[in-house]
């Protein structure tokens, strides 16, 4: 009876302990901000009719769907290389030329992968320096870089909405 109790205890207790939210304030804040970024990004993607996903304001720019693939690819690359330190199980580039439904799926998968990687990131490594494009930066700065790049391309997508006469969704901030 005691062995059964211990077995049951370990089956219930250890998975629960493994799923505890991060205690580090930076990681906690990042996870909250990341969920808001997901919701806002999805709202921007949803706002444009699928028939306009090929729109780009000038020939040199990416079209709307390419912006989605690019921002997803960058999140996956930076997260896998500097945060998770293991590759994602999917590639954003496989979504080139896909429709709105599939691109929404890509955004969700990308945010899920990054969110899980952020949640399991050891806080004691935030100050660890890595080489990025020939310069040293902390892994904490990589988190900022992921956010900045996402914001940059989402903002371009908002301009695309405006150029199509579509009011962008209400801002979802930090």
């Amino acid at each position: 009876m005691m062995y059964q109790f211990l077995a049951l205890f370990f089956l219930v207790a250890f998975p629960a302990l493994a799923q505890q939210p991060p205690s580090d304030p930076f990681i906690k804040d990042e996870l909250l901000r990341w969920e808001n970024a997901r919701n806002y990004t999805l709202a921007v993607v949803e706002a444009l009719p699928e028939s306009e996903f090929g729109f780009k304001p000038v020939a040199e720019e990416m079209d709307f769907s390419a912006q989605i693939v690019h921002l997803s690819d960058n999140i996956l690359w930076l997260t896998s290389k500097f945060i998770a330190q293991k590759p994602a199980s999917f590639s954003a580039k496989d979504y080139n030329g896909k429709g709105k439904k599939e691109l929404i799926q890509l955004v969700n998968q990308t945010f899920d992968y990054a969110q899980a990687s952020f949640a399991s990131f050891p806080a004691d490594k935030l100050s660890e320096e890595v080489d990025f494009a020939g310069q040293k930066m902390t892994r904490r700065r990589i988190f900022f870089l992921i956010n900045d790049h996402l914001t940059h391309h989402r903002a371009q997508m908002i301009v695309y909405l405006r150029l199509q006469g579509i009011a962008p969704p209400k801002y979802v901030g930090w």
Side-chain angles (χ1 to χ4, degrees), residues 36-79:
N36 289 338
R38 172 202 303 259
N39 292 336
Y40 192 37
T41 302
L42 287 169
V44 170
V45 172
E46 289 279 3
L48 191 70
E50 185 171 14
S51 62
E52 299 302 323
F53 269 43
F55 172 76
K56 55 183 175 177
V58 295
E60 298 82 16
E61 292 292 327
M62 291 182 269
D63 67 29
F64 192 84
S65 65
Q67 291 280 0
I68 297 166
V69 171
H70 175 74
L71 70 83
S72 297
D73 188 52
N74 185 263
I75 292 166
L76 293 172
W77 173 66
L78 289 170
T79 302

Side-chain angles (χ1 to χ4, degrees), residues 62 65-77 88-98 102-103 106-107 109-110:
M62 291 182 269
S65 65
Q67 291 280 0
I68 297 166
V69 171
H70 175 74
L71 70 83
S72 297
D73 188 52
N74 185 263
I75 292 166
L76 293 172
W77 173 66
S89 62
F90 62 99
S91 170
K93 291 176 182 166
D94 292 340
Y95 287 81
N96 282 318
K98 300 287 185 183
E102 292 86 359
L103 291 170
L106 170 63
V107 170
Q109 282 183 297
T110 299

Side-chain angles (χ1 to χ4, degrees), residues 146-172:
I146 293 167
N147 293 317
D148 286 350
H149 188 265
L150 167 62
T151 299
H152 169 74
H153 287 281
R154 187 177 53 225
Q156 289 184 3
M157 293 164 59
I158 289 169
V159 171
Y160 290 23
L161 291 176
R162 289 278 188 200
L163 290 171
Q164 290 293 312
I166 299 169
K170 185 177 182 244
Y171 175 68
V172 178

Side-chain angles (χ1 to χ4, degrees), residues 14 20 24 28 30 33 98 140:
F14 282 119
Q20 294 297 317
D24 180 77
K28 286 171 68 172
E30 177 58 22
R33 197 214 55 73
K98 300 287 185 183
R140 178 183 286 107

